[in-house]
Amino acid sequence: MSERKFPLNAKDYKLQEEIGDGVSATVHKALCIPLNEVVAIKVLDLEKCNNDLDGIRREVQTMSLINHPNVLQAHCSFTAGHQLWVVMPYMAGGSCLHIIKSSYQDGFEEPVIATLLRETLRALVYLHAHGHIHRDVKAGNILLDSNGVVKLADFGVSACMFDTGDRQRSRNTFVGTPCWMAPEVMQQLHGYDFKADVWSFGITALELAHGHAPFSKYPPMKVLLMTLQNAPPGLDYERDKRFSKAFKEMVGTCLVKDPKKRPTSEKLLKHPFFKQARPPDYLAKTILNGLPPLGERYRTIKSKEADLLMQNKSEYEAHLSQARIRKQKFHPSQEYIRGISAWNFNLEDLKSQAALISDDDSSHAEEPDFNRKQCGRLDESALSPERASSSATTPSQDDELNDIHDLESSFASFPSKPLQALKGCFDIGEDEDNATTPDWKDASLMSTGQQNFTKASIGSLAHTTKEEDTAAQNSSLPRHLISEQKKYSSGSLIPESTYSPKRISTEVDREFQLRRYQSYSGSLYRAKKDTVDEMSDSPHVEHKGRFKVTSADLSPKGSTNSTVTPFTGGSSSPISLTTASVLPSVQSLLQQNTIQRVNFKSIRKNHFYSLKQQPGSPETSVDELLQMTPATPRERELQTQLMLLQQSVLSQTEELKKQKQRNGQLENQLNALTQRND
Ligand SMILES: Nc1ncnc2c1ncn2[C@@H]1O[C@H](COP(=O)(O)OP(=O)(O)OP(=O)(O)O)[C@@H](O)[C@H]1O
């Protein structure tokens, strides 16, 4: 924490040139007159931030409380009219992104990358140990000073894992920047934790190596789908031959889709790759050497981006109108503007952006081997282990499984949970910690008023009040999403009405919905829920000093009325089973199988019915239909239903397979027991 007293009055600072901007703020170089010190001031327009003052307050508090050589700490902050000024040390080297854009478009050399990443990782280790998930790790937030000292910045979307005390398990809010965002953050299934930063760190490593993040040429919607569908990106391209095995391996360990299999930041820091990291002055001598001053660099980058924007905009408009007239897809010859796109959560915009790029755009991609590989690996990665085994089943073995397999192939291009992914873009999720009740109070942070952002003691970092927690939940999405959230808070993507029987307009729909409701309120749903719970992480507890963080849901689970006796797999010994105890389970499972089969057929019927409603359905793939911009409310409704059906088919299919597997196992046990009894 800074020893000097930085004045809390705008008059004491002389704003100079602009050196950076983000979605919510502009950053200026400035002179602190009384201290005669050059600083950077982040200026946020509070009027534009709508109701996200809590988010801003959290950023400022985090920036004031942290104290680590690799984390950018704010000197002070105060309001000036309708603006909030955050005074920070001036990082004359600028962000890694700006350095890349101005002089290293193809990425840095490995020792530079190792040095930048080691310093960034040290920051993450510190933040994670203090309960913070940064949630926006990327080259744009890695800053360098003139001596090559690296600092991680931008706590606009950071979250505290200890917000609700030691019962906090994981976060469930959709924040970050799509290219860097971990799959579990997109999916919002089981929440996420510190490991989300490890994924973003891996993406940042690729960004530093290639000069851009994977998928950065695609619009946000496409990025979401590709991250969920494709195998994780890595250093496997022809041009990556220059990188060491250790580097490739380090990236590989970060970019594992299952967060449990990713290392903690602490463990990652011990990876042999970082042995080649050098002291910070190495960065000053290499990448900072000869660079134009920050302000000048920033102006050049901005004007290049403006040119590119204008160029793309006119081409986009011309092609889009042509494509609309011909009802064709638009294949842009120019890439989506890398690094400028940021977030766009307007549904219509997202859909039209996604429609711009078709799956066969690989021909346009700059990384042909990458795209080939992705396509090749897509099926594998899209299939769960069960799917993989079912595809190995011969046709004579089981007709049901073949039906399922056919459907799977036709839907292989979908993310496993497309709705959650897309819903997350619009109905920004709340943190799942609502139910927890902290039994301690510390109002020291809350005393930081809207008008007066003062520093609080580091001891307060882990303690927040219930009130603040609620505030954090309300504001735990990026500031720039707030207005969009308002716009779509009623869930334009999946309108309430879609679920409502009132809006069901056809017999098929009605039948389908009826079955849906029946099954969801009955044992099937419960059985499914149990299965999901079983599958979810076993409580993963990390002890950090006096804190305990666990990624699993520790809230007391209510009793389930499942009619399924859970099969205990390897832990159950056949000897302990009797025919009488197993038989009811088998019968129940068989019964459920039958119900699910009916359900499944109904879904399939309904799915094809929906397809028929779409113009030109025989030639149009489901993927294309979902990416089309609906022209009428009816089309929009059908598109939404299609997505819902897609999800239902996938989950029912998986459930059915699981049940079948269990059936098989139980039948085997039953046979063994019967034989023994005989
Ligand atoms: N202390 C600093 N010294 C020098 N440059 C800075 C400093 N802080 C920020 N910048 C520059 O300003 C840019 C934008 O800052 P920042 O990321 O904090 O804004 P933001 O609105 O939170 O952005 P976003 O949310 O889009 O990441 C940074 O990428 C960096 O280039």
Side-chain angles (χ1 to χ4, degrees):
M1 203 170 294
S2 175
E3 295 304 317
R4 287 148 303 156
K5 269 233 165 282
F6 279 84
L8 298 172
N9 197 326
K11 286 204 302 282
D12 291 322
Y13 296 89
K14 192 170 168 209
L15 283 190
Q16 298 171 350
E17 63 201 333
E18 198 172 310
I19 50 168
D21 64 340
V23 187
S24 55
T26 50
V27 182
H28 290 262
K29 186 179 177 183
L31 179 70
C32 173
I33 303 163
L35 298 177
N36 192 26
E37 182 169 329
V38 176
V39 291
I41 300 183
K42 183 167 171 170
V43 179
L44 293 106
D45 189 333
L46 294 170
E47 281 179 357
K48 285 191 195 147
C49 294
N50 293 338
N51 54 352
D52 194 32
L53 289 169
D54 295 304
I56 296 165
R57 190 194 56 206
R58 195 174 56 248
E59 174 176 7
V60 172
Q61 283 167 349
T62 310
M63 278 188 79
S64 307
L65 296 169
I66 46 176
N67 185 11
H68 186 273
N70 296 115
V71 183
L72 189 71
Q73 188 185 23
H75 291 312
C76 69
S77 56
F78 51 87
T79 50
H82 55 87
Q83 292 176 335
L84 173 71
W85 288 26
V86 183
V87 182
M88 308 172 272
Y90 174 61
M91 302 293 285
S95 72
C96 284
L97 181 68
H98 282 173
I99 300 170
I100 287 172
K101 280 186 175 176
S102 72
S103 305
Y104 292 87
Q105 281 93 343
D106 294 328
F108 298 120
E109 292 301 317
E110 192 167 322
V112 169
I113 300 170
T115 312
L116 289 167
L117 287 179
R118 184 197 53 192
E119 301 300 292
T120 307
L121 195 52
R122 284 177 173 164
L124 281 181
V125 171
Y126 169 83
L127 289 173
H128 292 175
H130 286 81
H132 285 276
I133 323 174
H134 185 280
R135 304 202 283 190
D136 207 11
V137 178
K138 56 181 182 183
N141 287 332
I142 301 173
L143 305 183
L144 280 86
D145 74 7
S146 54
N147 301 317
V149 171
V150 176
K151 288 185 195 279
L152 184 60
D154 197 359
F155 297 86
V157 293
S158 70
C160 182
M161 290 291 285
F162 305 133
D163 274 355
T164 52
D166 67 359
R167 292 187 65 212
Q168 165 73 37
R169 297 89 46 186
S170 55
R171 308 294 300 193
N172 236 349
T173 328
F174 191 81
V175 294
T177 313
C179 291
W180 291 263
M181 194 186 278
E184 69 272 19
V185 182
M186 295 177 176
Q187 280 194 304
Q188 303 196 334
L189 285 178
H190 306 295
Y192 57 91
D193 60 13
F194 308 106
K195 300 287 185 72
D197 279 346
V198 176
W199 174 279
S200 308
F201 181 82
I203 298 286
T204 306
L206 294 180
E207 188 185 10
L208 299 176
H210 296 148
H212 57 83
F215 314 142
S216 61
K217 65 191 279 178
Y218 295 113
M221 169 69 99
K222 185 88 178 170
V223 174
L224 294 181
L225 294 176
M226 288 174 90
T227 306
L228 293 170
Q229 286 173 347
N230 291 11
L235 287 170
D236 318 311
Y237 318 134
E238 188 59 27
R239 62 181 169 175
D240 294 330
K241 279 190 176 147
R242 70 188 172 112
F243 296 122
S244 70
K245 216 175 137 207
F247 187 16
K248 292 174 186 173
E249 213 254 352
M250 191 279 292
V251 170
T253 59
C254 297
L255 298 180
V256 177
K257 285 197 178 175
D258 181 352
K260 282 176 287 166
K261 294 188 180 142
R262 280 175 228 148
T264 60
S265 50
E266 205 175 353
K267 189 167 175 213
L268 192 61
L269 196 52
K270 297 190 182 107
H271 194 281
F273 166 69
F274 296 107
K275 285 197 181 125
Q276 54 183 312
R278 318 263 177 95
D281 66 342
Y282 172 72
L283 298 175
K285 284 185 218 143
T286 51
I287 55 173
L288 294 182
N289 191 20
L291 279 185
L294 185 54
E296 190 183 320
R297 223 185 306 158
Y298 176 72
R299 278 193 298 278
T300 314
I301 292 167
K302 283 283 127 185
S303 81
K304 267 197 224 160
E305 282 182 356
D307 289 348
L308 194 59
L309 254 178
M310 286 309 292
Q311 212 178 320
N312 271 19
K313 190 169 180 279
S314 42
E315 189 186 328
Y316 169 90
E317 280 165 1
H319 281 78
L320 195 63
S321 58
Q322 283 299 309
R324 276 204 183 115
I325 292 164
R326 285 176 289 159
K327 292 205 170 223
Q328 280 173 0
K329 273 189 291 181
F330 165 44
H331 295 265
S333 60
Q334 280 184 335
E335 66 181 52
Y336 192 74
I337 303 173
R338 186 168 272 155
I340 305 179
S341 57
W343 290 86
N344 186 343
F345 287 96
N346 177 300
L347 175 61
E348 297 311 321
D349 282 0
L350 270 183
K351 282 188 179 168
S352 30
Q353 283 169 19
L356 293 183
I357 295 168
S358 64
D359 282 342
D360 52 4
D361 272 345
S362 51
S363 55
H364 301 273
E366 63 176 27
E367 293 136 0
D369 53 337
F370 163 71
N371 281 285
R372 218 179 309 120
K373 186 190 68 186
Q374 294 292 349
C375 293
R377 288 205 267 168
L378 178 61
D379 288 346
E380 259 170 63
S381 63
L383 294 178
S384 61
E386 292 100 321
R387 281 186 188 184
S389 64
S390 81
S391 47
T393 313
T394 55
S396 56
Q397 275 178 296
D398 201 313
D399 287 338
E400 265 179 50
L401 277 184
N402 285 324
D403 282 352
I404 293 162
H405 185 56
D406 288 345
L407 260 165
E408 277 167 356
S409 343
S410 56
F411 293 135
S413 61
F414 278 84
S416 59
K417 298 282 174 190
L419 273 186
Q420 280 88 339
L422 300 173
K423 189 171 177 285
C425 304
F426 305 96
D427 282 343
I428 309 296
E430 298 105 43
D431 294 336
E432 65 173 356
D433 45 17
N434 299 7
T436 59
T437 319
D439 53 3
W440 34 257
K441 291 213 184 308
D442 185 332
S444 62
L445 288 183
M446 281 308 293
S447 66
T448 319
Q450 200 174 300
Q451 290 297 312
N452 189 12
F453 294 81
T454 56
K455 294 178 183 179
S457 75
I458 189 89
S460 312
L461 190 62
H463 293 248
T464 55
T465 60
K466 178 79 184 168
E467 189 186 346
E468 182 174 34
D469 181 49
T470 313
Q473 285 164 26
N474 293 340
S475 61
S476 52
L477 57 156
R479 296 175 295 284
H480 40 282
L481 286 186
I482 294 292
S483 53
E484 296 302 329
Q485 186 207 15
K486 271 184 155 179
K487 219 185 282 178
Y488 293 103
S489 58
S490 60
S492 63
L493 184 66
I494 310 150
E496 223 32 53
S497 56
T498 309
Y499 295 96
S500 162
K502 277 188 231 148
R503 293 289 300 268
I504 299 166
S505 52
T506 67
E507 275 309 310
V508 179
D509 284 346
R510 205 169 293 125
E511 185 195 354
F512 162 64
Q513 295 284 357
L514 207 59
R515 292 220 171 106
R516 229 177 110 99
Y517 277 101
Q518 280 165 354
S519 67
Y520 273 37
S521 58
S523 60
L524 258 182
Y525 175 62
R526 291 194 191 101
K528 179 168 181 270
K529 189 179 182 307
D530 288 349
T531 315
V532 170
D533 286 346
E534 276 165 34
M535 289 190 319
S536 66
D537 310 350
S538 58
H540 163 67
V541 183
E542 286 180 41
H543 291 274
K544 305 275 184 199
R546 65 201 167 88
F547 300 115
K548 188 169 69 179
V549 183
T550 159
S551 61
D553 188 344
L554 297 183
S555 57
K557 289 190 177 77
S559 64
T560 62
N561 299 327
S562 171
T563 56
V564 180
T565 308
F567 175 66
T568 50
S571 61
S572 84
S573 153
I575 297 159
S576 66
L577 290 170
T578 64
T579 312
S581 70
V582 173
L583 210 57
S585 300
V586 176
Q587 278 167 347
S588 162
L589 283 169
L590 286 172
Q591 212 175 13
Q592 290 202 30
N593 257 2
T594 315
I595 298 167
Q596 285 189 330
R597 199 173 145 76
V598 172
N599 238 337
F600 173 71
K601 280 188 173 166
S602 167
I603 288 166
R604 198 170 51 172
K605 197 168 140 197
N606 199 53
H607 166 71
F608 289 117
Y609 172 81
S610 296
L611 279 183
K612 277 192 191 152
Q613 298 289 303
Q614 299 285 350
S617 58
E619 297 82 27
T620 316
S621 75
V622 177
D623 200 10
E624 284 168 334
L625 286 173
L626 284 173
Q627 293 201 351
M628 269 178 188
T629 307
T632 63
R634 174 68 185 146
E635 273 180 28
R636 186 170 314 171
E637 200 178 311
L638 283 168
Q639 205 173 39
T640 309
Q641 278 187 19
L642 191 57
M643 279 195 261
L644 278 167
L645 288 166
Q646 169 57 29
Q647 193 205 23
S648 302
V649 168
L650 281 172
S651 58
Q652 293 280 343
T653 300
E654 277 183 19
E655 184 58 26
L656 188 59
K657 269 185 297 173
K658 260 179 238 140
Q659 297 286 1
K660 280 190 71 66
Q661 253 176 1
R662 286 178 191 182
N663 260 5
Q665 287 164 330
L666 282 168
E667 267 170 20
N668 287 344
Q669 289 187 348
L670 189 63
N671 285 341
L673 282 169
T674 315
Q675 274 170 9
R676 203 169 301 145
N677 283 351
D678 288 347

